[in-house]
Amino acid sequence: MAEDRAPRLIWTEDGSPRSGRFDDIYFSREDGLAETRAVFLAGCGLPGAWLGRTRFCVGELGFGTGLNIAALLDLWRREGPPGARLEIFSVEAFPLARHEAARALAAWPELAEAAGALLDAWPATTPGFHRLDLPVFNATLDLAVGDAGWALSQWTGRADAWFLDGFAPSTNPGMWSDAVLDGIAARSAPDARVATFTVAGAVRRGLAARGFVVEKRPGHGRKRERLEARLPGPASAPRPTPTVAVVGAGIAGAALARAFAVLGLRATVVEAERPGAGGSGFPAGLVTPRLDAGDGDIAALYAQALTRAAALYAGIPGAVVGAGVLQLEQTPRDAGRFAKVAAQAIWPDGAMAVRDAAACAAQIGEPATGGGLWMGEAMAIRPAAVLETWLADADRLIATAAGIARADDGWRLLDPSGAVILTADIVVIAAGWGAAALAPDLPLAPVRGQADWVEGVATGPVAWGGYATPTGSGLLFGATHDRGETGGGPTAEASARNLATVAARLPELAARIAAAGPVQSRTAVRATTPDRLPLAGAAGPDGLFILGGLGSRGLCAAPLLAEHVAALATGASSPLPAGLAARVAPLRNAIGGGPCAT
């Protein structure tokens, strides 16, 4: 972790954690758990405040050891509404390492299950948003590592309750600034509750000035008083359960089916042929980020996407066939570029490492003409395993969606004859290049590609101008990029180009491929955008969305962006910071978010 984000943890003689940075304790020595339950849980009216709710959102400033959230999960598990979903958003500028949190939480054995779930999902300490899955509790936690003001400006959720648990205003005034209080007010749902240990006048006045009714309450332990506050107004009425249709059963459609299922909605996935009929139908694929040493937003987007994809794929039996990907230098300038990428703070320790020619040669098993970049979180996967697992969360319908029309009862998917396939409240277009026909105003362009594979040849995942990846039983290599082309199947000429691409950089591997026997081939058409960034968000009014334009990074980007689109469609909390969401907004050319012009 960078030094300026280190918590500078100190362990006192009685085993309590203390911040050396702020010279303040993380929790009460007398009984931190009792304090959490009294100040934050009871202070926000829990469990009563969530009765009858199908979804409840808690925001927290000051994640610290995770004690408050572990106590919240424990209470939710015992007394949460049946079938309801808990969304948690927490902020921490100076995150603890997992082993530090484990030591602190070990003091409360009664929270062992909740603490264990948190620790099992504990994120890296890199800046940005991190989504933690807590399925046993029917909950998710989005942890923002960064300053509170920035985090609140980037979060798009609405909290029903707030735990304000930063260090004391006297030692950590930035956590209680006007900008932070503005953010709390802006991101509060009607009838939101606020609880905090501090009764500082500036905090009381700041909350009151922003419309909260503030009251002092008896404190806990040595603290005489604490604060409770409430934002007047009727609580949000439960939303009717919407119907959802997803067009396309590739990686984007499957990721959407999973994302909606997590939110309690079973989507209907409409596919013209079969799952993986398009770009997701190859026997293997690389999960690699788009590297950018100059544009911090693009780099952060793909770093978050890679971490999310890697975590989700790792949980699917048989999906991962190769861990880590070696990106070889293509030009002399790549050495400096790779060094800049590896130094970016967005990557967990060891996730990006520059390797010299000797190390690359040892990795690929033949002489290397230059160095490379080891991408430790990247991987090779079998897309079929992912599609099978995630599409199990959806209903499936084989039909050709040729049009989408708005009607009084929702969005209608139409077949080529104009007949209605189905009607749904929410429609998400995730049809790869097929999205161009359904959303002709969006700036999509085709790139046809062919990849080839052989059996009985093995090497680790490696990329350069081309790539080679294990399939589990052999090796896939390629791929061609024929821009503007949409038709035609595999050709011997394209296979020769793919083998030549391998031979130019890895001649010994190319010789093994040539000697392996019959080559199998497949083509698919990718959909790209002018700025090479995906389209993820609203594609029209009132329930029409798209997840597309993924280019050659679909296996990396789709899982995170599907969660973002599903959140937008249902009013749930998105895992994507607002600034990054603007970069992938489908209508970004119309709202000034980027150069994706029609």
Side-chain angles (χ1 to χ4, degrees), residues 562-587:
E563 291 179 320
H564 170 62
V565 172
L568 294 179
T570 60
S573 298
S574 171
L576 201 60
L580 303 187
R583 295 297 298 269
V584 297
L587 305 179

Side-chain angles (χ1 to χ4, degrees), residues 491-533:
T491 66
E493 182 274 335
S495 293
R497 273 192 282 157
N498 281 335
L499 186 59
T501 298
V502 178
R505 196 59 192 270
L506 302 172
E508 294 181 14
L509 178 61
R512 287 193 286 140
I513 291 172
V519 172
Q520 301 180 69
S521 307
R522 187 176 184 276
T523 62
V525 180
R526 306 181 187 94
T528 64
T529 64
D531 58 7
R532 298 194 299 124
L533 287 173

Side-chain angles (χ1 to χ4, degrees), residues 84-101:
R85 179 155 193 82
L86 178 64
E87 297 175 0
I88 308 166
F89 175 73
S90 188
V91 181
E92 180 55 60
F94 307 100
L96 274 65
R98 182 190 182 281
H99 72 274
E100 294 171 327

Side-chain angles (χ1 to χ4, degrees), residues 125-327:
T125 56
T126 51
F129 281 23
H130 302 264
R131 172 152 286 192
L132 282 65
D133 296 306
L134 303 163
V136 173
F137 296 87
N138 203 23
T140 55
L141 165 62
D142 289 315
L143 178 62
V145 175
D147 296 332
W150 165 83
L152 290 169
S153 74
Q154 294 299 303
W155 186 50
T156 55
R158 297 274 181 179
D160 301 296
W162 287 100
F163 301 166
L164 305 188
D165 195 21
F167 292 115
S170 59
T171 63
N172 187 20
M175 183 69 88
W176 309 91
S177 67
D178 284 342
V180 169
L181 295 177
D182 285 344
I184 292 168
R187 306 318 309 165
S188 291
D191 197 40
R193 321 284 186 97
V194 174
T196 181
F197 61 87
T198 184
V199 291
V203 175
R204 298 198 315 270
R205 292 189 295 272
L207 289 171
R210 289 160 178 83
F212 289 90
V213 176
V214 183
E215 296 182 273
K216 290 184 181 180
R217 296 293 189 188
H220 178 83
R222 297 180 182 180
K223 296 176 181 178
R224 292 192 308 162
E225 296 175 308
R226 59 183 174 85
L227 287 188
E228 292 181 11
R230 193 164 183 168
L231 190 64
S236 300
R239 295 186 176 196
T241 301
T243 52
V244 179
V246 174
V247 182
I251 188 62
L256 285 161
R258 177 204 160 272
F260 280 112
V262 168
L263 296 175
L265 299 174
R266 189 172 179 89
T268 298
V269 176
V270 179
E271 170 63 33
E273 298 179 49
R274 64 188 183 282
S280 303
F282 291 92
L286 292 183
V287 184
T288 56
R290 175 177 165 184
L291 303 175
D292 200 302
D295 190 318
D297 280 354
I298 292 176
L301 171 66
Y302 280 95
Q304 184 181 353
L306 177 61
T307 296
R308 188 66 180 138
L312 292 175
Y313 293 149
I316 300 175
V320 179
V321 292
V325 177
L326 180 63
Q327 179 77 41

Side-chain angles (χ1 to χ4, degrees), residues 54-128:
T54 58
R55 182 185 299 157
F56 195 81
C57 182
V58 174
E60 179 189 47
L61 302 189
F63 181 67
T65 65
L67 175 59
N68 292 342
I69 302 307
L72 172 66
L73 291 170
D74 176 67
L75 181 64
W76 179 260
R77 179 75 176 273
R78 291 184 286 109
E79 301 190 45
R85 179 155 193 82
L86 178 64
E87 297 175 0
I88 308 166
F89 175 73
S90 188
V91 181
E92 180 55 60
F94 307 100
L96 274 65
R98 182 190 182 281
H99 72 274
E100 294 171 327
R103 180 176 174 182
L105 292 172
W108 319 114
E110 58 266 59
L111 295 181
E113 186 175 7
L118 275 180
L119 293 169
D120 287 346
W122 202 262
T125 56
T126 51

